Amino acid sequence: MMKRSFPILALALLVAGTLFAADKPAASDRENLLSELARTEARFLTSVEGLSEAQWNFKAAPDRWSIAECAEHIAASEPMIRGMIAEAIKKELTAEMAPSANKDEALMKGLVDRSKKFKAPEPLVPTNRYGSTADALASFKKERAETVALASGDTDLRTHGDNHFLAGPLDGQGWFLFLSGHSERHTLQIEEVKADPNFPKE
Protein backbone atom coordinates (compact mmCIF):
# COMPACT_ATOMS: atom_id res chain seq x y z
CA MET A 1 0.00 0.00 0.00
CA MET A 2 2.82 2.39 0.88
CA LYS A 3 4.58 1.59 -2.39
CA ARG A 4 1.45 2.46 -4.37
CA SER A 5 0.77 5.73 -2.54
CA PHE A 6 4.33 7.08 -2.88
CA PRO A 7 4.10 7.95 -6.61
CA ILE A 8 0.74 9.65 -6.01
CA LEU A 9 2.19 11.69 -3.13
CA ALA A 10 5.24 12.63 -5.18
CA LEU A 11 3.03 13.70 -8.08
CA ALA A 12 0.88 15.81 -5.75
CA LEU A 13 3.93 17.55 -4.33
CA LEU A 14 5.26 18.17 -7.84
CA VAL A 15 1.97 19.70 -8.97
CA ALA A 16 1.75 21.84 -5.85
CA GLY A 17 5.30 23.07 -6.36
CA THR A 18 4.58 23.91 -9.98
CA LEU A 19 1.47 25.85 -9.05
CA PHE A 20 3.34 27.73 -6.33
CA ALA A 21 6.09 28.67 -8.79
CA ALA A 22 3.51 29.81 -11.33
CA ASP A 23 1.82 32.03 -8.74
CA LYS A 24 5.09 33.61 -7.63
CA PRO A 25 5.30 37.06 -9.25
CA ALA A 26 8.29 37.94 -11.40
CA ALA A 27 10.67 40.55 -10.03
CA SER A 28 9.49 44.04 -10.88
CA ASP A 29 11.49 46.53 -12.91
CA ARG A 30 12.27 48.44 -9.73
CA GLU A 31 13.46 45.31 -7.90
CA ASN A 32 15.70 44.48 -10.85
CA LEU A 33 17.03 48.02 -10.90
CA LEU A 34 17.84 48.09 -7.18
CA SER A 35 19.49 44.68 -7.49
CA GLU A 36 21.60 45.96 -10.38
CA LEU A 37 22.69 49.05 -8.44
CA ALA A 38 23.69 46.85 -5.50
CA ARG A 39 25.57 44.46 -7.80
CA THR A 40 27.66 47.14 -9.52
CA GLU A 41 28.39 48.86 -6.21
CA ALA A 42 29.66 45.61 -4.70
CA ARG A 43 31.68 44.76 -7.80
CA PHE A 44 33.46 48.12 -7.75
CA LEU A 45 34.22 48.03 -4.03
CA THR A 46 35.46 44.44 -4.26
CA SER A 47 37.73 45.33 -7.18
CA VAL A 48 39.65 47.88 -5.08
CA GLU A 49 39.67 46.06 -1.77
CA GLY A 50 43.06 45.57 -0.12
CA LEU A 51 45.17 47.37 -2.72
CA SER A 52 48.52 48.84 -1.75
CA GLU A 53 49.50 52.43 -2.55
CA ALA A 54 51.74 51.17 -5.36
CA GLN A 55 48.86 49.20 -6.84
CA TRP A 56 46.47 52.16 -6.54
CA ASN A 57 48.83 54.43 -8.44
CA PHE A 58 50.25 52.03 -11.04
CA LYS A 59 49.82 53.09 -14.67
CA ALA A 60 50.19 50.63 -17.52
CA ALA A 61 51.27 53.57 -19.74
CA PRO A 62 51.61 57.34 -19.28
CA ASP A 63 48.33 57.98 -21.09
CA ARG A 64 46.39 55.29 -19.17
CA TRP A 65 44.48 55.84 -15.95
CA SER A 66 45.58 54.34 -12.67
CA ILE A 67 43.13 52.51 -10.43
CA ALA A 68 43.04 55.60 -8.22
CA GLU A 69 42.01 57.70 -11.22
CA CYS A 70 39.36 55.18 -12.28
CA ALA A 71 37.93 55.17 -8.76
CA GLU A 72 37.89 58.97 -8.66
CA HIS A 73 36.07 59.07 -12.00
CA ILE A 74 33.45 56.57 -10.81
CA ALA A 75 32.88 58.53 -7.60
CA ALA A 76 32.70 61.91 -9.35
CA SER A 77 30.37 60.63 -12.07
CA GLU A 78 27.75 59.31 -9.65
CA PRO A 79 26.27 62.66 -8.50
CA MET A 80 26.60 64.24 -11.95
CA ILE A 81 24.68 61.47 -13.71
CA ARG A 82 22.17 61.23 -10.87
CA GLY A 83 21.47 64.95 -11.25
CA MET A 84 20.60 64.34 -14.90
CA ILE A 85 18.36 61.44 -13.89
CA ALA A 86 16.52 63.55 -11.31
CA GLU A 87 15.65 66.06 -14.02
CA ALA A 88 14.79 63.40 -16.62
CA ILE A 89 12.28 61.54 -14.45
CA LYS A 90 10.36 64.73 -13.73
CA LYS A 91 9.20 64.59 -17.34
CA GLU A 92 6.62 62.27 -18.84
CA LEU A 93 7.70 60.57 -22.04
CA THR A 94 6.00 62.04 -25.08
CA ALA A 95 4.00 59.87 -27.45
CA GLU A 96 6.82 60.20 -29.98
CA MET A 97 9.53 59.16 -27.52
CA ALA A 98 7.77 56.34 -25.70
CA PRO A 99 7.99 53.58 -28.36
CA SER A 100 11.81 53.73 -28.49
CA ALA A 101 12.57 54.71 -24.88
CA ASN A 102 13.07 51.20 -23.45
CA LYS A 103 16.68 50.30 -24.20
CA ASP A 104 17.63 48.21 -21.15
CA GLU A 105 19.37 45.37 -22.96
CA ALA A 106 21.27 47.57 -25.42
CA LEU A 107 22.50 49.84 -22.63
CA MET A 108 23.71 47.01 -20.42
CA LYS A 109 25.59 45.37 -23.28
CA GLY A 110 26.98 48.52 -24.81
CA LEU A 111 28.32 50.06 -21.63
CA VAL A 112 30.47 47.07 -20.72
CA ASP A 113 31.90 46.78 -24.22
CA ARG A 114 35.43 47.97 -23.51
CA SER A 115 36.44 47.62 -27.16
CA LYS A 116 34.76 50.98 -27.72
CA LYS A 117 36.56 53.87 -26.06
CA PHE A 118 35.13 57.26 -25.09
CA LYS A 119 36.84 60.39 -23.85
CA ALA A 120 35.70 61.51 -20.40
CA PRO A 121 34.07 64.95 -20.29
CA GLU A 122 36.36 67.59 -18.81
CA PRO A 123 34.50 67.89 -15.45
CA LEU A 124 35.03 64.16 -14.85
CA VAL A 125 38.71 63.88 -15.78
CA PRO A 126 40.60 62.77 -12.64
CA THR A 127 42.34 65.59 -10.76
CA ASN A 128 42.82 64.00 -7.32
CA ARG A 129 39.80 66.00 -6.17
CA TYR A 130 39.23 63.80 -3.12
CA GLY A 131 42.78 63.90 -1.82
CA SER A 132 42.88 60.22 -0.89
CA THR A 133 41.49 56.91 -2.05
CA ALA A 134 39.66 56.48 1.25
CA ASP A 135 37.83 59.76 0.70
CA ALA A 136 37.01 58.82 -2.89
CA LEU A 137 35.46 55.53 -1.77
CA ALA A 138 33.57 57.23 1.06
CA SER A 139 32.16 59.72 -1.43
CA PHE A 140 31.12 56.94 -3.80
CA LYS A 141 29.30 55.02 -1.04
CA LYS A 142 27.46 58.17 0.04
CA GLU A 143 26.50 59.09 -3.50
CA ARG A 144 25.39 55.55 -4.40
CA ALA A 145 23.15 55.52 -1.32
CA GLU A 146 21.50 58.70 -2.62
CA THR A 147 21.12 57.12 -6.05
CA VAL A 148 19.40 54.10 -4.49
CA ALA A 149 17.09 56.42 -2.54
CA LEU A 150 16.11 58.20 -5.77
CA ALA A 151 15.60 54.89 -7.58
CA SER A 152 13.39 53.68 -4.72
CA GLY A 153 10.85 56.49 -5.20
CA ASP A 154 7.34 56.10 -6.52
CA THR A 155 7.86 57.64 -9.97
CA ASP A 156 6.82 55.30 -12.78
CA LEU A 157 10.19 54.99 -14.47
CA ARG A 158 8.72 53.44 -17.60
CA THR A 159 6.48 56.41 -18.37
CA HIS A 160 8.95 59.11 -17.37
CA GLY A 161 12.24 60.03 -19.00
CA ASP A 162 13.88 62.29 -21.52
CA ASN A 163 16.40 62.37 -24.34
CA HIS A 164 19.75 60.97 -23.24
CA PHE A 165 22.94 62.59 -24.48
CA LEU A 166 24.13 59.28 -25.97
CA ALA A 167 21.12 56.97 -26.21
CA GLY A 168 18.41 59.33 -27.45
CA PRO A 169 14.89 58.82 -26.01
CA LEU A 170 15.32 56.94 -22.73
CA ASP A 171 12.93 56.04 -19.95
CA GLY A 172 13.79 56.47 -16.28
CA GLN A 173 14.74 52.82 -15.88
CA GLY A 174 17.27 53.20 -18.67
CA TRP A 175 18.73 56.37 -17.18
CA PHE A 176 19.45 54.52 -13.92
CA LEU A 177 20.85 51.52 -15.79
CA PHE A 178 23.18 53.88 -17.64
CA LEU A 179 24.55 55.15 -14.32
CA SER A 180 24.96 51.60 -13.01
CA GLY A 181 26.56 50.39 -16.22
CA HIS A 182 28.92 53.35 -16.29
CA SER A 183 30.36 52.36 -12.91
CA GLU A 184 30.69 48.76 -14.08
CA ARG A 185 32.46 49.88 -17.27
CA HIS A 186 35.17 51.58 -15.24
CA THR A 187 35.32 48.68 -12.79
CA LEU A 188 36.24 46.55 -15.80
CA GLN A 189 38.89 49.16 -16.57
CA ILE A 190 40.26 48.62 -13.06
CA GLU A 191 40.40 44.88 -13.70
CA GLU A 192 42.35 45.57 -16.90
CA VAL A 193 44.92 47.55 -14.91
CA LYS A 194 45.23 44.69 -12.41
CA ALA A 195 45.73 42.20 -15.25
CA ASP A 196 48.70 44.12 -16.67
CA PRO A 197 51.88 41.98 -16.45
CA ASN A 198 53.73 44.85 -14.74
CA PHE A 199 51.07 45.42 -12.09
CA PRO A 200 52.78 45.46 -8.67
CA LYS A 201 52.48 42.23 -6.72
CA GLU A 202 51.98 44.19 -3.51
Side-chain angles (χ1 to χ4, degrees):
M1 185 69 178
M2 289 295 293
K3 290 183 180 179
R4 291 181 180 179
S5 62
F6 179 76
I8 297 175
L9 177 60
L11 179 61
L13 290 172
L14 178 62
V15 171
T18 304
L19 290 174
F20 176 77
D23 289 341
K24 186 178 180 181
S28 68
D29 280 343
R30 198 173 306 273
E31 289 172 327
N32 288 333
L33 172 59
L34 294 176
S35 176
E36 183 67 9
L37 287 169
R39 183 186 70 81
T40 57
E41 176 181 8
R43 184 170 188 182
F44 166 53
L45 295 175
T46 299
S47 75
V48 298
E49 187 175 3
L51 297 180
S52 68
E53 184 174 351
Q55 291 170 328
W56 271 105
N57 295 303
F58 168 80
K59 287 191 172 192
D63 62 342
R64 303 287 292 277
W65 284 1
S66 65
I67 292 176
E69 288 171 324
C70 292
E72 178 186 346
H73 177 75
I74 292 172
S77 298
E78 188 86 9
M80 179 177 283
I81 299 174
R82 190 181 63 248
M84 297 178 188
I85 295 172
E87 291 302 313
I89 62 176
K90 291 177 182 177
K91 305 173 184 178
E92 289 192 16
L93 289 169
T94 65
E96 293 76 21
M97 294 169 66
S100 60
N102 185 334
K103 299 184 175 81
D104 294 6
E105 187 174 352
L107 281 170
M108 295 177 75
K109 285 183 178 179
L111 282 164
V112 297
D113 181 359
R114 293 279 303 151
S115 67
K116 297 176 182 178
K117 306 298 183 183
F118 302 95
K119 186 176 181 180
E122 192 62 32
L124 296 178
V125 172
T127 60
N128 193 30
R129 73 197 71 198
Y130 298 107
S132 72
T133 52
D135 287 345
L137 295 180
S139 177
F140 169 76
K141 292 175 185 178
K142 172 183 173 295
E143 297 295 347
R144 179 52 63 95
E146 292 188 23
T147 298
V148 169
L150 182 62
S152 301
D154 56 6
T155 301
D156 184 347
L157 299 178
R158 289 301 188 192
T159 61
H160 289 72
D162 197 7
N163 277 308
H164 186 273
F165 56 93
L166 288 177
L170 197 62
D171 62 26
Q173 185 87 357
W175 273 92
F176 277 108
L177 289 175
F178 174 83
L179 178 149
S180 183
H182 175 268
S183 64
E184 181 164 29
R185 177 181 179 83
H186 290 285
T187 300
L188 292 172
Q189 186 178 4
I190 289 171
E191 295 299 339
E192 289 170 9
V193 176
K194 291 164 69 175
D196 187 275
N198 295 316
F199 186 69
K201 300 299 182 184
E202 56 183 16

mmCIF file of all heavy atoms in Angstrom, residues 56-70 114 117 126 188-197:
data_model
loop_
_atom_site.group_PDB
_atom_site.id
_atom_site.type_symbol
_atom_site.label_atom_id
_atom_site.label_comp_id
_atom_site.label_asym_id
_atom_site.label_seq_id
_atom_site.Cartn_x
_atom_site.Cartn_y
_atom_site.Cartn_z
ATOM 1 N N TRP A 56 47.423 51.085 -6.255
ATOM 2 C CA TRP A 56 46.465 52.160 -6.543
ATOM 3 C C TRP A 56 46.987 53.085 -7.627
ATOM 4 O O TRP A 56 46.221 53.546 -8.483
ATOM 5 C CB TRP A 56 46.198 52.976 -5.276
ATOM 6 C CG TRP A 56 45.089 52.488 -4.415
ATOM 7 C CD1 TRP A 56 45.204 51.835 -3.232
ATOM 8 C CD2 TRP A 56 43.681 52.628 -4.652
ATOM 9 N NE1 TRP A 56 43.958 51.554 -2.721
ATOM 10 C CE2 TRP A 56 43.012 52.024 -3.567
ATOM 11 C CE3 TRP A 56 42.934 53.201 -5.671
ATOM 12 C CZ2 TRP A 56 41.619 51.978 -3.473
ATOM 13 C CZ3 TRP A 56 41.542 53.159 -5.586
ATOM 14 C CH2 TRP A 56 40.902 52.545 -4.504
ATOM 15 N N ASN A 57 48.272 53.383 -7.587
ATOM 16 C CA ASN A 57 48.829 54.435 -8.445
ATOM 17 C C ASN A 57 49.558 53.917 -9.684
ATOM 18 O O ASN A 57 50.054 54.716 -10.472
ATOM 19 C CB ASN A 57 49.771 55.315 -7.621
ATOM 20 C CG ASN A 57 49.015 56.065 -6.530
ATOM 21 O OD1 ASN A 57 48.078 56.795 -6.808
ATOM 22 N ND2 ASN A 57 49.419 55.870 -5.277
ATOM 23 N N PHE A 58 49.588 52.599 -9.869
ATOM 24 C CA PHE A 58 50.254 52.033 -11.042
ATOM 25 C C PHE A 58 49.543 52.433 -12.331
ATOM 26 O O PHE A 58 48.314 52.409 -12.416
ATOM 27 C CB PHE A 58 50.292 50.501 -10.929
ATOM 28 C CG PHE A 58 50.693 49.824 -12.204
ATOM 29 C CD1 PHE A 58 52.031 49.751 -12.576
ATOM 30 C CD2 PHE A 58 49.732 49.278 -13.044
ATOM 31 C CE1 PHE A 58 52.409 49.130 -13.768
ATOM 32 C CE2 PHE A 58 50.100 48.652 -14.237
ATOM 33 C CZ PHE A 58 51.433 48.582 -14.597
ATOM 34 N N LYS A 59 50.353 52.794 -13.343
ATOM 35 C CA LYS A 59 49.820 53.090 -14.673
ATOM 36 C C LYS A 59 50.477 52.162 -15.683
ATOM 37 O O LYS A 59 51.706 52.046 -15.721
ATOM 38 C CB LYS A 59 50.106 54.543 -15.057
ATOM 39 C CG LYS A 59 49.259 55.570 -14.329
ATOM 40 C CD LYS A 59 49.427 56.944 -14.987
ATOM 41 C CE LYS A 59 48.437 57.943 -14.388
ATOM 42 N NZ LYS A 59 48.392 59.181 -15.200
ATOM 43 N N ALA A 60 49.657 51.529 -16.506
ATOM 44 C CA ALA A 60 50.192 50.630 -17.521
ATOM 45 C C ALA A 60 50.942 51.406 -18.603
ATOM 46 O O ALA A 60 51.817 50.858 -19.274
ATOM 47 C CB ALA A 60 49.066 49.813 -18.143
ATOM 48 N N ALA A 61 50.603 52.682 -18.777
ATOM 49 C CA ALA A 61 51.267 53.570 -19.736
ATOM 50 C C ALA A 61 50.991 55.000 -19.295
ATOM 51 O O ALA A 61 50.023 55.251 -18.563
ATOM 52 C CB ALA A 61 50.747 53.330 -21.152
ATOM 53 N N PRO A 62 51.807 55.953 -19.724
ATOM 54 C CA PRO A 62 51.614 57.342 -19.280
ATOM 55 C C PRO A 62 50.233 57.915 -19.594
ATOM 56 O O PRO A 62 49.725 58.766 -18.861
ATOM 57 C CB PRO A 62 52.716 58.099 -20.042
ATOM 58 C CG PRO A 62 53.761 57.077 -20.312
ATOM 59 C CD PRO A 62 53.028 55.796 -20.541
ATOM 60 N N ASP A 63 49.642 57.452 -20.695
ATOM 61 C CA ASP A 63 48.332 57.982 -21.089
ATOM 62 C C ASP A 63 47.169 57.129 -20.590
ATOM 63 O O ASP A 63 46.023 57.334 -20.983
ATOM 64 C CB ASP A 63 48.247 58.118 -22.612
ATOM 65 C CG ASP A 63 48.396 56.777 -23.328
ATOM 66 O OD1 ASP A 63 48.894 55.813 -22.696
ATOM 67 O OD2 ASP A 63 48.008 56.691 -24.506
ATOM 68 N N ARG A 64 47.439 56.165 -19.709
ATOM 69 C CA ARG A 64 46.395 55.294 -19.167
ATOM 70 C C ARG A 64 46.085 55.699 -17.734
ATOM 71 O O ARG A 64 46.968 56.176 -17.009
ATOM 72 C CB ARG A 64 46.853 53.824 -19.207
ATOM 73 C CG ARG A 64 47.233 53.325 -20.590
ATOM 74 C CD ARG A 64 46.053 53.105 -21.482
ATOM 75 N NE ARG A 64 45.250 51.997 -21.032
ATOM 76 C CZ ARG A 64 45.528 50.721 -21.327
ATOM 77 N NH1 ARG A 64 46.604 50.404 -22.043
ATOM 78 N NH2 ARG A 64 44.753 49.761 -20.894
ATOM 79 N N TRP A 65 44.849 55.502 -17.319
ATOM 80 C CA TRP A 65 44.475 55.844 -15.948
ATOM 81 C C TRP A 65 44.950 54.783 -14.972
ATOM 82 O O TRP A 65 44.974 53.586 -15.268
ATOM 83 C CB TRP A 65 42.960 55.969 -15.839
ATOM 84 C CG TRP A 65 42.407 57.241 -16.413
ATOM 85 C CD1 TRP A 65 43.092 58.250 -17.008
ATOM 86 C CD2 TRP A 65 41.019 57.630 -16.432
ATOM 87 N NE1 TRP A 65 42.227 59.249 -17.401
ATOM 88 C CE2 TRP A 65 40.957 58.898 -17.064
ATOM 89 C CE3 TRP A 65 39.850 57.029 -15.982
ATOM 90 C CZ2 TRP A 65 39.742 59.576 -17.247
ATOM 91 C CZ3 TRP A 65 38.641 57.693 -16.173
ATOM 92 C CH2 TRP A 65 38.597 58.954 -16.793
ATOM 93 N N SER A 66 45.299 55.240 -13.784
ATOM 94 C CA SER A 66 45.583 54.335 -12.671
ATOM 95 C C SER A 66 44.263 53.891 -12.057
ATOM 96 O O SER A 66 43.195 54.444 -12.362
ATOM 97 C CB SER A 66 46.428 55.048 -11.617
ATOM 98 O OG SER A 66 45.672 56.118 -11.039
ATOM 99 N N ILE A 67 44.335 52.934 -11.145
ATOM 100 C CA ILE A 67 43.129 52.508 -10.434
ATOM 101 C C ILE A 67 42.584 53.666 -9.601
ATOM 102 O O ILE A 67 41.366 53.874 -9.531
ATOM 103 C CB ILE A 67 43.426 51.279 -9.552
ATOM 104 C CG1 ILE A 67 43.724 50.064 -10.434
ATOM 105 C CG2 ILE A 67 42.262 50.984 -8.600
ATOM 106 C CD1 ILE A 67 44.126 48.823 -9.672
ATOM 107 N N ALA A 68 43.482 54.445 -8.994
ATOM 108 C CA ALA A 68 43.041 55.600 -8.217
ATOM 109 C C ALA A 68 42.258 56.573 -9.085
ATOM 110 O O ALA A 68 41.224 57.127 -8.660
ATOM 111 C CB ALA A 68 44.253 56.299 -7.595
ATOM 112 N N GLU A 69 42.698 56.778 -10.311
ATOM 113 C CA GLU A 69 42.007 57.699 -11.216
ATOM 114 C C GLU A 69 40.670 57.121 -11.676
ATOM 115 O O GLU A 69 39.677 57.858 -11.800
ATOM 116 C CB GLU A 69 42.905 58.020 -12.401
ATOM 117 C CG GLU A 69 44.082 58.924 -12.023
ATOM 118 C CD GLU A 69 45.100 59.091 -13.128
ATOM 119 O OE1 GLU A 69 45.344 58.110 -13.880
ATOM 120 O OE2 GLU A 69 45.662 60.192 -13.244
ATOM 121 N N CYS A 70 40.632 55.823 -11.925
ATOM 122 C CA CYS A 70 39.357 55.176 -12.285
ATOM 123 C C CYS A 70 38.351 55.318 -11.142
ATOM 124 O O CYS A 70 37.172 55.632 -11.375
ATOM 125 C CB CYS A 70 39.572 53.698 -12.585
ATOM 126 S SG CYS A 70 40.525 53.352 -14.085
ATOM 127 N N ARG A 114 34.225 47.165 -23.675
ATOM 128 C CA ARG A 114 35.433 47.968 -23.508
ATOM 129 C C ARG A 114 36.237 48.098 -24.804
ATOM 130 O O ARG A 114 37.250 48.790 -24.840
ATOM 131 C CB ARG A 114 36.309 47.346 -22.414
ATOM 132 C CG ARG A 114 35.710 47.408 -21.014
ATOM 133 C CD ARG A 114 35.919 48.746 -20.361
ATOM 134 N NE ARG A 114 37.329 49.078 -20.311
ATOM 135 C CZ ARG A 114 37.810 50.313 -20.332
ATOM 136 N NH1 ARG A 114 36.996 51.350 -20.443
ATOM 137 N NH2 ARG A 114 39.107 50.528 -20.269
ATOM 138 N N LYS A 117 36.019 52.916 -27.011
ATOM 139 C CA LYS A 117 36.559 53.873 -26.057
ATOM 140 C C LYS A 117 35.875 55.233 -26.210
ATOM 141 O O LYS A 117 35.496 55.632 -27.311
ATOM 142 C CB LYS A 117 38.068 54.044 -26.253
ATOM 143 C CG LYS A 117 38.862 52.738 -26.227
ATOM 144 C CD LYS A 117 38.753 52.032 -24.877
ATOM 145 C CE LYS A 117 39.618 50.769 -24.856
ATOM 146 N NZ LYS A 117 39.481 50.031 -23.587
ATOM 147 N N PRO A 126 40.016 62.831 -13.990
ATOM 148 C CA PRO A 126 40.604 62.766 -12.643
ATOM 149 C C PRO A 126 41.596 63.901 -12.368
ATOM 150 O O PRO A 126 42.443 64.221 -13.204
ATOM 151 C CB PRO A 126 41.309 61.410 -12.637
ATOM 152 C CG PRO A 126 40.589 60.599 -13.658
ATOM 153 C CD PRO A 126 40.195 61.565 -14.728
ATOM 154 N N LEU A 188 35.537 47.433 -14.858
ATOM 155 C CA LEU A 188 36.236 46.554 -15.803
ATOM 156 C C LEU A 188 37.578 47.160 -16.204
ATOM 157 O O LEU A 188 38.562 46.429 -16.403
ATOM 158 C CB LEU A 188 35.364 46.326 -17.041
ATOM 159 C CG LEU A 188 34.086 45.512 -16.822
ATOM 160 C CD1 LEU A 188 33.216 45.536 -18.070
ATOM 161 C CD2 LEU A 188 34.419 44.083 -16.433
ATOM 162 N N GLN A 189 37.626 48.485 -16.298
ATOM 163 C CA GLN A 189 38.893 49.158 -16.572
ATOM 164 C C GLN A 189 39.894 48.905 -15.438
ATOM 165 O O GLN A 189 41.081 48.689 -15.684
ATOM 166 C CB GLN A 189 38.654 50.654 -16.762
ATOM 167 C CG GLN A 189 39.878 51.433 -17.195
ATOM 168 C CD GLN A 189 39.567 52.906 -17.425
ATOM 169 O OE1 GLN A 189 38.446 53.374 -17.186
ATOM 170 N NE2 GLN A 189 40.553 53.656 -17.886
ATOM 171 N N ILE A 190 39.413 48.929 -14.210
ATOM 172 C CA ILE A 190 40.260 48.621 -13.057
ATOM 173 C C ILE A 190 40.805 47.200 -13.167
ATOM 174 O O ILE A 190 41.996 46.945 -12.913
ATOM 175 C CB ILE A 190 39.471 48.805 -11.745
ATOM 176 C CG1 ILE A 190 39.227 50.296 -11.475
ATOM 177 C CG2 ILE A 190 40.191 48.155 -10.559
ATOM 178 C CD1 ILE A 190 38.282 50.580 -10.328
ATOM 179 N N GLU A 191 39.952 46.266 -13.559
ATOM 180 C CA GLU A 191 40.398 44.877 -13.705
ATOM 181 C C GLU A 191 41.447 44.750 -14.805
ATOM 182 O O GLU A 191 42.368 43.921 -14.712
ATOM 183 C CB GLU A 191 39.201 43.972 -13.997
ATOM 184 C CG GLU A 191 38.188 43.887 -12.862
ATOM 185 C CD GLU A 191 38.778 43.319 -11.579
ATOM 186 O OE1 GLU A 191 39.817 42.623 -11.640
ATOM 187 O OE2 GLU A 191 38.203 43.571 -10.505
ATOM 188 N N GLU A 192 41.336 45.579 -15.842
ATOM 189 C CA GLU A 192 42.346 45.565 -16.903
ATOM 190 C C GLU A 192 43.700 46.026 -16.357
ATOM 191 O O GLU A 192 44.744 45.475 -16.705
ATOM 192 C CB GLU A 192 41.901 46.472 -18.057
ATOM 193 C CG GLU A 192 40.732 45.919 -18.850
ATOM 194 C CD GLU A 192 40.154 46.940 -19.821
ATOM 195 O OE1 GLU A 192 40.764 48.015 -20.012
ATOM 196 O OE2 GLU A 192 39.078 46.678 -20.387
ATOM 197 N N VAL A 193 43.680 47.065 -15.525
ATOM 198 C CA VAL A 193 44.923 47.545 -14.908
ATOM 199 C C VAL A 193 45.542 46.431 -14.062
ATOM 200 O O VAL A 193 46.755 46.177 -14.130
ATOM 201 C CB VAL A 193 44.658 48.793 -14.034
ATOM 202 C CG1 VAL A 193 45.934 49.228 -13.325
ATOM 203 C CG2 VAL A 193 44.110 49.938 -14.873
ATOM 204 N N LYS A 194 44.727 45.751 -13.287
ATOM 205 C CA LYS A 194 45.229 44.688 -12.407
ATOM 206 C C LYS A 194 45.781 43.497 -13.193
ATOM 207 O O LYS A 194 46.630 42.750 -12.697
ATOM 208 C CB LYS A 194 44.111 44.236 -11.459
ATOM 209 C CG LYS A 194 43.733 45.294 -10.432
ATOM 210 C CD LYS A 194 42.405 45.010 -9.772
ATOM 211 C CE LYS A 194 42.431 43.818 -8.879
ATOM 212 N NZ LYS A 194 41.134 43.652 -8.159
ATOM 213 N N ALA A 195 45.290 43.330 -14.419
ATOM 214 C CA ALA A 195 45.735 42.203 -15.245
ATOM 215 C C ALA A 195 47.015 42.508 -16.010
ATOM 216 O O ALA A 195 47.594 41.604 -16.634
ATOM 217 C CB ALA A 195 44.625 41.829 -16.232
ATOM 218 N N ASP A 196 47.479 43.764 -15.962
ATOM 219 C CA ASP A 196 48.704 44.124 -16.674
ATOM 220 C C ASP A 196 49.880 43.329 -16.096
ATOM 221 O O ASP A 196 49.999 43.190 -14.876
ATOM 222 C CB ASP A 196 48.964 45.629 -16.529
ATOM 223 C CG ASP A 196 50.122 46.085 -17.387
ATOM 224 O OD1 ASP A 196 51.277 45.970 -16.937
ATOM 225 O OD2 ASP A 196 49.867 46.557 -18.508
ATOM 226 N N PRO A 197 50.758 42.801 -16.952
ATOM 227 C CA PRO A 197 51.881 41.982 -16.448
ATOM 228 C C PRO A 197 52.828 42.734 -15.512
ATOM 229 O O PRO A 197 53.532 42.104 -14.705
ATOM 230 C CB PRO A 197 52.603 41.547 -17.727
ATOM 231 C CG PRO A 197 52.116 42.466 -18.804
ATOM 232 C CD PRO A 197 50.722 42.848 -18.408
#
